[in-house]
Amino acid sequence: MVLVLPNYFPILKSSAMTGVIALFLCVGMIIKFRHIIKVKELFFPTILYMTASSLALMIGKEVNSAILQRIFGLFLLILASYYLIFDKNQKINLNKLTKVVFILLSGICDGLFGIGGPLVVIYF
């Protein structure tokens, strides 16, 4: 959706549409896996993520759509390079600061582009 919707809608509108669809998918997964979810481990990342995402949406309204599209392309290139270079089975030891940075970047990328999941995967 993130690759197709920006061709038909502005980047922020595409991001919002992707977010709404993902919300329904997440609710379905929460219902299915409700017995194994550890709420205490999700509280801090969720608050940080939602705050960063909301702030990015507010800032994104003020930025030119063409600039956002270029930034989005650069983001996808960096993300693809990361996944190509690093071993998928590599164990990453993250300190608290690095975890906070990954969550904030994920929230910002989700707010601006609707694609925050890969950075949250690195966090977890």
Side-chain angles (χ1 to χ4, degrees):
M1 289 187 307
V2 175
L3 295 174
V4 174
L5 289 177
N7 292 322
Y8 302 105
F9 303 102
I11 192 92
L12 285 177
K13 192 176 278 190
S14 302
S15 173
M17 292 168 70
T18 303
V20 170
I21 293 168
L23 177 67
F24 286 109
L25 292 172
C26 287
V27 169
M29 289 187 342
I30 288 169
I31 292 169
K32 182 175 180 176
F33 298 111
R34 67 186 174 276
H35 300 293
I36 59 173
I37 294 174
K38 299 176 184 174
V39 177
K40 289 181 182 178
E41 289 182 23
L42 295 176
F43 184 73
F44 177 70
T46 302
I47 297 299
L48 259 166
Y49 184 90
M50 296 302 282
T51 303
S53 181
S54 299
L55 289 173
L57 275 171
M58 286 187 251
I59 293 169
K61 290 180 192 176
E62 307 300 322
V63 179
N64 186 355
S65 183
I67 294 172
L68 276 179
Q69 287 179 332
R70 287 189 179 100
I71 293 172
F72 179 57
L74 181 65
F75 168 74
L76 288 178
L77 286 173
I78 291 169
L79 191 64
S81 299
Y82 172 83
Y83 281 112
L84 285 172
I85 292 171
F86 291 102
D87 182 22
K88 290 165 185 57
N89 297 323
Q90 179 182 4
K91 182 73 175 170
I92 302 171
N93 294 324
L94 302 174
N95 60 28
K96 289 183 182 184
L97 177 64
T98 310
K99 290 179 179 183
V100 168
V101 168
F102 273 115
I103 291 297
L104 289 174
L105 283 174
S106 181
I108 291 168
C109 291
D110 187 46
L112 291 177
F113 314 122
I115 186 167
L119 296 171
V120 173
V121 169
I122 294 171
Y123 170 83
F124 283 108

Coordinates of all heavy atoms in Angstrom, one line a residue, residues 31-107:
I31 N -6.7 -9.3 19.2 CA -7.8 -10.2 19.7 C -7.3 -11.6 19.6 O -7.5 -12.4 20.5 CB -9.1 -10.0 18.8 CG1 -9.7 -8.6 19.2 CG2 -10.1 -11.1 19.1 CD1 -10.8 -8.2 18.2
K32 N -6.6 -12.0 18.5 CA -6.1 -13.3 18.3 C -5.1 -13.7 19.4 O -5.1 -14.8 19.9 CB -5.6 -13.5 16.9 CG -5.2 -14.9 16.6 CD -4.8 -15.1 15.2 CE -4.3 -16.5 14.9 NZ -4.0 -16.8 13.5
F33 N -4.1 -12.8 19.6 CA -3.0 -13.1 20.5 C -3.1 -12.5 21.9 O -2.1 -12.3 22.6 CB -1.7 -12.7 19.8 CG -1.4 -13.4 18.5 CD1 -1.5 -12.7 17.3 CD2 -1.1 -14.8 18.5 CE1 -1.2 -13.4 16.1 CE2 -0.9 -15.4 17.3 CZ -0.9 -14.7 16.1
R34 N -4.3 -12.2 22.3 CA -4.5 -11.5 23.6 C -3.9 -12.2 24.8 O -3.5 -11.6 25.8 CB -5.9 -11.1 23.8 CG -6.8 -12.3 24.0 CD -8.3 -11.9 24.1 NE -9.2 -13.1 24.1 CZ -9.6 -13.8 23.1 NH1 -9.2 -13.4 21.9 NH2 -10.4 -14.8 23.3
H35 N -3.8 -13.5 24.7 CA -3.3 -14.3 25.9 C -1.8 -14.2 26.1 O -1.3 -14.5 27.2 CB -3.7 -15.7 25.8 CG -5.2 -15.9 25.7 ND1 -6.1 -15.6 26.8 CD2 -6.0 -16.2 24.7 CE1 -7.3 -15.8 26.4 NE2 -7.3 -16.2 25.2
I36 N -1.1 -13.9 25.0 CA 0.4 -13.9 25.1 C 1.0 -12.5 25.0 O 2.2 -12.4 25.1 CB 1.0 -14.8 24.0 CG1 0.6 -14.4 22.6 CG2 0.7 -16.2 24.3 CD1 1.4 -15.1 21.5
I37 N 0.2 -11.5 24.9 CA 0.7 -10.1 24.9 C 1.1 -9.6 26.2 O 0.4 -9.8 27.2 CB -0.4 -9.1 24.3 CG1 -0.7 -9.5 22.8 CG2 0.1 -7.7 24.4 CD1 -1.8 -8.7 22.3
K38 N 2.4 -9.1 26.3 CA 2.9 -8.5 27.6 C 2.7 -7.0 27.6 O 3.5 -6.3 27.0 CB 4.4 -8.9 27.7 CG 4.6 -10.4 27.8 CD 6.0 -10.8 27.8 CE 6.2 -12.3 27.8 NZ 7.6 -12.6 27.7
V39 N 1.6 -6.6 28.2 CA 1.3 -5.1 28.1 C 2.4 -4.2 28.7 O 2.6 -3.2 28.2 CB -0.1 -4.9 28.9 CG1 -0.5 -3.5 28.9 CG2 -1.2 -5.7 28.2
K40 N 3.0 -4.7 29.8 CA 4.1 -3.8 30.4 C 5.2 -3.6 29.4 O 5.8 -2.5 29.5 CB 4.6 -4.5 31.6 CG 3.6 -4.5 32.8 CD 4.1 -5.2 34.0 CE 3.1 -5.2 35.1 NZ 3.6 -5.9 36.3
E41 N 5.5 -4.5 28.6 CA 6.6 -4.3 27.6 C 6.2 -3.4 26.5 O 7.1 -2.9 25.8 CB 7.1 -5.6 27.1 CG 7.8 -6.5 28.0 CD 8.3 -7.8 27.4 OE1 8.5 -7.9 26.2 OE2 8.5 -8.7 28.2
L42 N 4.9 -3.2 26.2 CA 4.5 -2.4 25.1 C 4.1 -0.9 25.5 O 4.0 -0.1 24.6 CB 3.2 -3.0 24.5 CG 3.4 -4.4 23.8 CD1 2.1 -4.9 23.4 CD2 4.4 -4.3 22.7
F43 N 4.0 -0.7 26.8 CA 3.5 0.6 27.2 C 4.5 1.8 26.8 O 4.1 2.7 26.1 CB 3.3 0.7 28.7 CG 2.7 1.9 29.2 CD1 1.4 2.3 29.0 CD2 3.5 2.8 29.9 CE1 0.9 3.5 29.4 CE2 3.0 4.0 30.4 CZ 1.7 4.4 30.1
F44 N 5.7 1.7 27.2 CA 6.7 2.7 26.9 C 6.9 3.0 25.4 O 6.8 4.1 24.9 CB 8.0 2.5 27.6 CG 9.1 3.5 27.3 CD1 9.0 4.8 27.8 CD2 10.2 3.1 26.5 CE1 10.0 5.7 27.5 CE2 11.2 4.1 26.2 CZ 11.1 5.3 26.7
P45 N 7.2 1.9 24.6 CA 7.3 2.1 23.2 C 6.1 2.7 22.5 O 6.2 3.5 21.6 CB 7.6 0.7 22.6 CG 8.1 -0.1 23.8 CD 7.4 0.5 25.0
T46 N 4.9 2.3 22.9 CA 3.7 2.8 22.3 C 3.5 4.3 22.6 O 3.2 5.0 21.7 CB 2.5 2.0 22.9 OG1 2.7 0.6 22.6 CG2 1.2 2.5 22.3
I47 N 3.7 4.7 23.8 CA 3.6 6.2 24.1 C 4.6 7.0 23.3 O 4.2 8.0 22.7 CB 3.8 6.4 25.6 CG1 2.8 5.7 26.4 CG2 3.9 7.9 25.9 CD1 1.3 6.2 26.2
L48 N 5.9 6.5 23.2 CA 6.9 7.2 22.4 C 6.5 7.3 21.0 O 6.6 8.3 20.3 CB 8.2 6.6 22.6 CG 9.2 7.2 23.6 CD1 10.3 6.3 23.9 CD2 9.7 8.5 23.0
Y49 N 6.1 6.1 20.4 CA 5.8 5.9 19.0 C 4.6 6.9 18.6 O 4.7 7.6 17.6 CB 5.4 4.5 18.8 CG 5.1 4.1 17.4 CD1 6.2 3.7 16.5 CD2 3.9 4.2 16.8 CE1 5.9 3.3 15.2 CE2 3.6 3.8 15.5 CZ 4.6 3.4 14.7 OH 4.4 3.0 13.5
M50 N 3.6 6.8 19.4 CA 2.4 7.6 19.1 C 2.7 9.1 19.2 O 2.2 9.9 18.4 CB 1.2 7.3 20.1 CG 0.7 5.9 19.9 SD 0.2 5.5 18.3 CE -1.4 6.2 18.3
T51 N 3.5 9.5 20.2 CA 3.9 11.0 20.3 C 4.7 11.4 19.1 O 4.4 12.4 18.5 CB 4.7 11.2 21.6 OG1 3.9 10.7 22.7 CG2 5.1 12.6 21.7
A52 N 5.7 10.6 18.7 CA 6.5 11.0 17.5 C 5.7 11.0 16.2 O 5.9 11.9 15.4 CB 7.7 10.0 17.4
S53 N 4.8 10.0 16.1 CA 4.0 9.9 14.9 C 3.0 11.1 14.8 O 2.9 11.7 13.7 CB 3.2 8.6 14.9 OG 2.4 8.5 13.8
S54 N 2.4 11.5 15.9 CA 1.5 12.7 15.9 C 2.3 14.0 15.6 O 1.8 14.8 14.8 CB 0.9 12.8 17.3 OG 0.1 11.7 17.5
L55 N 3.4 14.1 16.2 CA 4.2 15.3 15.9 C 4.7 15.4 14.4 O 4.7 16.4 13.8 CB 5.5 15.4 16.8 CG 5.2 15.7 18.2 CD1 6.4 15.6 19.1 CD2 4.6 17.1 18.4
A56 N 5.1 14.2 13.9 CA 5.5 14.1 12.5 C 4.3 14.5 11.5 O 4.5 15.2 10.5 CB 6.0 12.8 12.1
L57 N 3.1 14.1 11.9 CA 1.9 14.4 11.1 C 1.7 15.9 11.1 O 1.4 16.5 10.0 CB 0.7 13.7 11.6 CG 0.5 12.3 11.1 CD1 -0.7 11.6 11.8 CD2 0.2 12.3 9.6
M58 N 1.8 16.5 12.3 CA 1.6 18.0 12.3 C 2.7 18.7 11.5 O 2.3 19.7 10.8 CB 1.7 18.4 13.8 CG 0.4 18.1 14.6 SD 0.4 18.8 16.2 CE 0.7 17.3 17.2
I59 N 3.9 18.3 11.6 CA 5.0 19.0 10.8 C 4.8 18.6 9.3 O 5.1 19.5 8.5 CB 6.3 18.5 11.4 CG1 6.5 19.0 12.8 CG2 7.5 19.0 10.4 CD1 7.7 18.4 13.5
G60 N 4.4 17.4 9.0 CA 4.3 17.0 7.6 C 3.3 17.8 6.8 O 3.4 18.0 5.6
K61 N 2.3 18.3 7.5 CA 1.2 19.2 6.8 C 1.9 20.4 6.3 O 1.4 21.0 5.3 CB 0.1 19.5 7.8 CG -0.7 18.4 8.2 CD -1.8 18.9 9.2 CE -2.5 17.8 9.9 NZ -3.5 18.3 10.9
E62 N 2.9 20.9 6.9 CA 3.5 22.2 6.5 C 4.6 22.0 5.4 O 5.0 23.0 4.8 CB 4.2 22.8 7.7 CG 3.2 23.0 8.9 CD 2.0 23.9 8.6 OE1 2.2 24.8 7.8 OE2 0.9 23.5 9.1
V63 N 5.0 20.7 5.2 CA 6.1 20.5 4.2 C 5.5 20.2 2.8 O 4.5 19.6 2.7 CB 7.0 19.3 4.7 CG1 8.1 19.0 3.7 CG2 7.6 19.6 6.1
N64 N 6.2 20.7 1.8 CA 5.8 20.5 0.4 C 5.7 19.0 0.1 O 6.6 18.2 0.5 CB 6.8 21.2 -0.5 CG 6.3 21.1 -2.0 OD1 5.3 20.5 -2.3 ND2 7.1 21.8 -2.8
S65 N 4.7 18.5 -0.6 CA 4.5 17.1 -0.9 C 5.7 16.5 -1.8 O 6.1 15.4 -1.6 CB 3.2 16.9 -1.6 OG 3.0 15.5 -1.8
A66 N 6.2 17.3 -2.7 CA 7.3 16.9 -3.5 C 8.5 16.6 -2.7 O 9.3 15.6 -2.9 CB 7.6 17.9 -4.6
I67 N 8.8 17.4 -1.7 CA 9.9 17.2 -0.8 C 9.7 15.9 0.0 O 10.7 15.2 0.2 CB 10.2 18.4 0.1 CG1 10.6 19.6 -0.8 CG2 11.2 18.2 1.2 CD1 10.6 21.0 0.0
L68 N 8.5 15.7 0.5 CA 8.2 14.5 1.3 C 8.4 13.3 0.4 O 8.9 12.2 0.9 CB 6.8 14.6 1.8 CG 6.6 15.3 3.1 CD1 5.1 15.3 3.5 CD2 7.5 14.7 4.2
Q69 N 8.1 13.3 -0.8 CA 8.2 12.2 -1.7 C 9.7 11.8 -1.9 O 10.1 10.7 -1.9 CB 7.6 12.4 -3.1 CG 6.1 12.3 -3.0 CD 5.4 12.5 -4.3 OE1 5.9 13.2 -5.1 NE2 4.2 11.9 -4.5
R70 N 10.5 12.9 -2.0 CA 12.0 12.7 -2.2 C 12.6 12.1 -0.9 O 13.4 11.2 -0.9 CB 12.7 14.0 -2.6 CG 12.4 14.4 -4.0 CD 13.3 15.5 -4.4 NE 13.0 15.9 -5.8 CZ 12.3 16.9 -6.2 NH1 11.7 17.7 -5.3 NH2 12.1 17.1 -7.5
I71 N 12.1 12.6 0.2 CA 12.6 12.1 1.5 C 12.2 10.6 1.7 O 12.9 9.8 2.2 CB 12.1 13.0 2.7 CG1 12.8 14.4 2.6 CG2 12.4 12.3 4.0 CD1 12.2 15.4 3.6
F72 N 11.0 10.3 1.3 CA 10.4 9.0 1.3 C 11.3 8.0 0.5 O 11.6 6.9 0.9 CB 9.0 8.9 0.9 CG 8.3 7.6 0.9 CD1 8.3 6.8 2.1 CD2 7.8 7.1 -0.2 CE1 7.7 5.6 2.1 CE2 7.2 5.8 -0.2 CZ 7.2 5.1 0.9
G73 N 11.6 8.4 -0.7 CA 12.5 7.6 -1.6 C 13.8 7.3 -0.9 O 14.3 6.2 -0.9
L74 N 14.4 8.4 -0.3 CA 15.7 8.2 0.3 C 15.6 7.3 1.5 O 16.4 6.4 1.8 CB 16.2 9.6 0.8 CG 17.5 9.6 1.5 CD1 18.7 9.2 0.6 CD2 17.8 11.0 2.0
F75 N 14.5 7.4 2.3 CA 14.2 6.5 3.4 C 14.1 5.1 3.0 O 14.7 4.2 3.6 CB 12.9 6.9 4.1 CG 12.4 5.9 5.1 CD1 13.1 5.8 6.3 CD2 11.3 5.1 4.8 CE1 12.6 4.8 7.2 CE2 10.9 4.2 5.7 CZ 11.5 4.0 6.9
L76 N 13.4 4.8 1.9 CA 13.3 3.4 1.4 C 14.7 2.9 0.9 O 15.0 1.7 1.1 CB 12.3 3.4 0.2 CG 10.8 3.5 0.6 CD1 10.0 3.5 -0.6 CD2 10.4 2.5 1.6
L77 N 15.5 3.7 0.3 CA 16.8 3.3 -0.1 C 17.7 2.9 1.1 O 18.4 1.9 1.1 CB 17.5 4.4 -1.0 CG 17.0 4.5 -2.4 CD1 17.6 5.7 -3.0 CD2 17.3 3.3 -3.2
I78 N 17.7 3.8 2.1 CA 18.4 3.5 3.3 C 17.9 2.2 4.0 O 18.7 1.4 4.4 CB 18.4 4.7 4.3 CG1 19.1 5.9 3.7 CG2 18.9 4.3 5.7 CD1 18.9 7.2 4.4
L79 N 16.6 2.1 4.1 CA 16.1 0.9 4.7 C 16.4 -0.4 4.0 O 16.8 -1.4 4.5 CB 14.5 1.0 4.8 CG 13.8 0.0 5.7 CD1 14.2 0.1 7.1 CD2 12.3 0.3 5.5
A80 N 16.3 -0.3 2.6 CA 16.7 -1.5 1.8 C 18.2 -1.8 2.0 O 18.6 -3.0 2.1 CB 16.3 -1.2 0.4
S81 N 19.0 -0.8 2.0 CA 20.5 -1.0 2.2 C 20.7 -1.7 3.5 O 21.6 -2.6 3.6 CB 21.2 0.3 2.1 OG 21.0 0.9 0.9
Y82 N 20.1 -1.2 4.6 CA 20.3 -1.8 5.9 C 19.9 -3.3 5.8 O 20.7 -4.1 6.3 CB 19.4 -1.1 6.9 CG 19.4 -1.8 8.3 CD1 20.5 -1.6 9.1 CD2 18.4 -2.7 8.6 CE1 20.5 -2.2 10.4 CE2 18.5 -3.4 9.8 CZ 19.5 -3.1 10.7 OH 19.6 -3.8 11.9
Y83 N 18.8 -3.7 5.3 CA 18.4 -5.1 5.3 C 19.2 -5.9 4.3 O 19.4 -7.1 4.5 CB 16.9 -5.2 4.9 CG 16.0 -4.9 6.1 CD1 15.2 -3.8 6.1 CD2 16.0 -5.7 7.2 CE1 14.5 -3.5 7.2 CE2 15.3 -5.5 8.3 CZ 14.5 -4.3 8.3 OH 13.7 -4.0 9.4
L84 N 19.9 -5.3 3.3 CA 20.8 -6.1 2.4 C 22.1 -6.3 3.1 O 22.7 -7.3 2.9 CB 20.9 -5.3 1.1 CG 19.8 -5.4 0.1 CD1 20.0 -4.5 -1.0 CD2 19.6 -6.8 -0.3
I85 N 22.6 -5.3 3.8 CA 24.0 -5.4 4.4 C 24.0 -6.2 5.6 O 24.9 -7.0 5.8 CB 24.5 -3.9 4.7 CG1 24.7 -3.2 3.4 CG2 25.8 -4.0 5.5 CD1 25.0 -1.7 3.5
F86 N 23.1 -6.1 6.5 CA 23.2 -6.8 7.8 C 22.5 -8.2 7.7 O 21.5 -8.4 7.1 CB 22.5 -5.9 8.9 CG 23.3 -4.7 9.2 CD1 22.9 -3.5 8.8 CD2 24.5 -4.8 10.0 CE1 23.6 -2.3 9.1 CE2 25.2 -3.7 10.3 CZ 24.8 -2.4 9.8
D87 N 23.2 -9.1 8.4 CA 22.7 -10.5 8.5 C 21.3 -10.5 9.3 O 21.2 -9.9 10.3 CB 23.7 -11.3 9.2 CG 23.3 -12.8 9.3 OD1 22.5 -13.2 8.5 OD2 23.8 -13.5 10.2
K88 N 20.4 -11.2 8.7 CA 19.1 -11.3 9.3 C 19.1 -12.0 10.7 O 18.2 -11.8 11.5 CB 18.1 -11.9 8.4 CG 17.8 -11.0 7.2 CD 17.1 -11.8 6.1 CE 16.9 -11.0 4.8 NZ 18.1 -10.4 4.3
N89 N 20.0 -12.9 10.9 CA 20.1 -13.6 12.2 C 21.0 -13.0 13.2 O 21.3 -13.6 14.2 CB 20.6 -15.1 11.9 CG 19.6 -15.8 11.0 OD1 18.4 -15.6 11.2 ND2 20.1 -16.6 10.1
Q90 N 21.5 -11.8 12.9 CA 22.4 -11.1 13.7 C 21.7 -10.6 15.0 O 20.6 -10.0 14.9 CB 23.1 -10.0 13.0 CG 24.1 -9.2 13.8 CD 24.6 -8.0 13.1 OE1 24.2 -7.8 11.9 NE2 25.5 -7.3 13.6
K91 N 22.3 -10.9 16.1 CA 21.7 -10.4 17.4 C 22.3 -9.0 17.7 O 23.5 -8.8 17.7 CB 22.0 -11.4 18.5 CG 21.5 -11.0 19.8 CD 20.0 -11.2 19.9 CE 19.5 -10.9 21.3 NZ 18.1 -10.9 21.4
I92 N 21.4 -8.0 17.8 CA 21.8 -6.6 18.1 C 21.6 -6.3 19.6 O 20.5 -6.5 20.0 CB 21.1 -5.6 17.2 CG1 21.3 -5.9 15.8 CG2 21.5 -4.2 17.5 CD1 20.4 -5.1 14.8
N93 N 22.6 -5.9 20.3 CA 22.5 -5.5 21.7 C 22.3 -4.0 21.7 O 23.2 -3.3 21.4 CB 23.7 -5.9 22.5 CG 23.8 -7.4 22.6 OD1 22.8 -8.1 22.7 ND2 25.0 -7.9 22.6
L94 N 21.1 -3.6 22.1 CA 20.8 -2.2 22.1 C 20.7 -1.6 23.5 O 20.2 -2.3 24.4 CB 19.4 -2.0 21.4 CG 19.2 -2.4 20.0 CD1 17.8 -2.3 19.6 CD2 20.2 -1.7 19.1
N95 N 21.3 -0.4 23.7 CA 21.1 0.2 25.0 C 19.8 1.0 25.0 O 19.1 1.1 24.0 CB 22.3 1.1 25.3 CG 22.6 2.1 24.3 OD1 21.7 2.6 23.7 ND2 23.8 2.5 24.2
K96 N 19.5 1.6 26.1 CA 18.2 2.3 26.2 C 18.1 3.5 25.3 O 17.1 3.8 24.7 CB 18.0 2.8 27.7 CG 17.7 1.7 28.6 CD 17.4 2.2 30.0 CE 17.2 1.0 30.9 NZ 16.8 1.4 32.3
L97 N 19.2 4.3 25.1 CA 19.2 5.4 24.2 C 18.9 5.0 22.7 O 18.1 5.6 22.0 CB 20.5 6.2 24.2 CG 20.7 7.3 23.3 CD1 19.7 8.4 23.6 CD2 22.1 7.9 23.3
T98 N 19.6 3.9 22.3 CA 19.4 3.4 20.9 C 17.9 2.9 20.8 O 17.3 3.2 19.7 CB 20.3 2.2 20.7 OG1 21.6 2.6 21.0 CG2 20.3 1.8 19.2
K99 N 17.4 2.3 21.8 CA 16.0 1.9 21.7 C 15.0 3.0 21.5 O 14.1 3.0 20.7 CB 15.6 1.0 22.9 CG 16.2 -0.3 23.0 CD 15.8 -1.0 24.2 CE 16.5 -2.4 24.3 NZ 16.0 -3.2 25.5
V100 N 15.3 4.1 22.3 CA 14.5 5.3 22.2 C 14.6 5.9 20.8 O 13.6 6.3 20.2 CB 14.8 6.3 23.3 CG1 14.2 7.7 23.1 CG2 14.4 5.8 24.7
V101 N 15.8 6.0 20.3 CA 16.0 6.6 19.0 C 15.3 5.8 17.9 O 14.6 6.3 17.0 CB 17.5 6.6 18.6 CG1 17.8 7.0 17.2 CG2 18.2 7.7 19.5
F102 N 15.3 4.4 18.0 CA 14.6 3.6 17.0 C 13.1 3.8 17.1 O 12.4 3.9 16.1 CB 14.9 2.1 17.2 CG 16.2 1.7 16.5 CD1 17.3 1.2 17.1 CD2 16.2 1.7 15.1 CE1 18.4 0.8 16.4 CE2 17.3 1.3 14.4 CZ 18.4 0.9 15.1
I103 N 12.6 3.9 18.3 CA 11.1 4.1 18.5 C 10.7 5.5 17.9 O 9.7 5.6 17.2 CB 10.7 3.9 19.9 CG1 10.8 2.5 20.3 CG2 9.3 4.4 20.2 CD1 9.9 1.5 19.6
L104 N 11.5 6.5 18.2 CA 11.2 7.8 17.7 C 11.3 7.9 16.2 O 10.4 8.5 15.6 CB 12.1 8.9 18.4 CG 11.9 9.2 19.8 CD1 13.0 10.1 20.4 CD2 10.5 9.8 20.1
L105 N 12.3 7.3 15.6 CA 12.4 7.3 14.2 C 11.3 6.5 13.5 O 10.8 6.9 12.5 CB 13.8 6.7 13.8 CG 15.0 7.6 13.9 CD1 16.3 6.8 13.6 CD2 14.9 8.8 13.0
S106 N 10.9 5.4 14.2 CA 9.8 4.7 13.7 C 8.5 5.4 13.7 O 7.7 5.4 12.7 CB 9.7 3.4 14.5 OG 8.6 2.6 14.0
G107 N 8.3 6.2 14.8 CA 7.1 7.0 14.9 C 7.1 8.1 13.8 O 6.0 8.4 13.2

